[in-house]
Amino acid sequence: DGAIRYYATYTAFDGSNIAPHLLSTEDFETFSMRPLVGPAAKNKGMALFPRHIGGRFWSLSRWDRESISVASSCDALRWGDPVTVLRPSQPWELIQLGGCSSPLETAAGWLVITHGVGPMRTYSIGALLLDLDDPTRVIAASDRPILSPGRGQQSGYVPNVVYSCGALAVGDLLVLPYGVGDQTISFASRSISDLLNQMHRSSQRQPRRRA
């Protein structure tokens, strides 16, 4: 009927427990908030792909608390079995991996900005490229961080942390706002084509596995 509805995910917290929820609205005046259910709807890190793929909703998931998975849904509320697409394998992400935000659509694939937690709980930012038509298929992944805590960024309320909750693609420019130590906000930018070229030189680090 031409109606447009906007969706967002967020992590609900009741003081003891966390759970992924869906926020939706048609007019930004009235909002609906509902819990997400299903095998993939666990822990933090659920982030919707910005459009349907194959007539279904898709989302990033970190159901197991340490790997990046994807899952699909017919209604954006019930999420089926997650497919793990990337597991920790590099020193800077050995403790856990996760998505930072909704994927960005590029001609080469879905660009996912990730975070990795390494020794001393140092948070760094990486990238992952997924197939446009089949987001369970990994095209490339960064073998080293694209952003790590630098000089002057290793202190703060939570030290040794850089973390992003969203990125923008402006033509070929990736604009990345990120938090530093849970205390300040900075911005980084980089050519998307240069980033993708660097990632394409990396091999797929492990086969996909259905959870």
Side-chain angles (χ1 to χ4, degrees):
D1 61 0
I4 297 175
R5 178 169 288 273
Y6 300 88
Y7 293 92
T9 54
Y10 68 97
T11 301
F13 179 60
D14 65 4
S16 301
N17 303 297
I18 60 171
H21 278 50
L22 183 73
L23 182 73
S24 64
T25 183
E26 292 182 348
D27 55 14
F28 287 92
E29 294 181 355
T30 303
F31 295 85
S32 171
M33 294 170 285
R34 300 179 65 180
L36 302 179
V37 298
K42 298 178 181 179
N43 207 260
K44 300 180 180 180
M46 290 200 73
L48 296 172
F49 284 68
R51 64 168 173 83
H52 285 99
I53 305 170
R56 296 177 66 83
F57 293 92
W58 286 79
S59 176
L60 299 174
S61 169
R62 199 183 68 185
W63 67 278
D64 64 354
R65 301 188 66 179
E66 67 176 30
S67 305
I68 297 178
S69 302
V70 295
S72 67
S73 169
C74 62
D75 59 5
L77 293 171
R78 295 179 289 270
W79 295 89
D81 291 335
V83 177
T84 300
V85 295
L86 196 67
R87 301 184 188 91
S89 64
Q90 306 299 316
W92 57 278
E93 61 186 21
L94 279 181
I95 295 177
Q96 68 183 38
L97 274 167
C100 283
S101 62
S102 292
L104 299 172
E105 186 171 2
T106 73
W110 295 106
L111 178 60
V112 180
I113 304 302
T114 67
H115 73 270
V117 184
M120 305 297 293
R121 294 203 64 81
T122 297
Y123 277 66
S124 301
I125 295 175
L128 173 67
L129 191 66
L130 304 176
D131 186 83
L132 285 178
D133 299 318
D134 179 7
T136 68
R137 187 173 77 85
V138 175
I139 297 174
S142 54
D143 286 336
R144 59 182 184 271
I146 63 173
L147 187 66
S148 296
R151 183 176 300 176
Q153 297 182 327
Q154 296 172 329
S155 58
Y157 181 72
V158 182
N160 298 316
V161 171
V162 291
Y163 192 93
S164 178
C165 289
L168 296 172
V170 183
D172 185 51
L173 186 67
L174 175 69
V175 180
L176 184 68
Y178 65 96
V180 180
D182 280 10
Q183 183 169 310
T184 59
I185 296 174
S186 294
F187 286 83
S189 62
R190 183 171 181 177
S191 163
I192 294 176
S193 57
D194 286 349
L195 174 60
L196 294 179
N197 286 336
Q198 179 188 32
M199 292 170 62
H200 278 299
R201 291 195 292 271
S202 301
S203 61
Q204 184 172 339
R205 298 186 296 185
Q206 61 273 313
R208 69 184 184 179
R209 173 180 63 86
R210 188 170 295 275

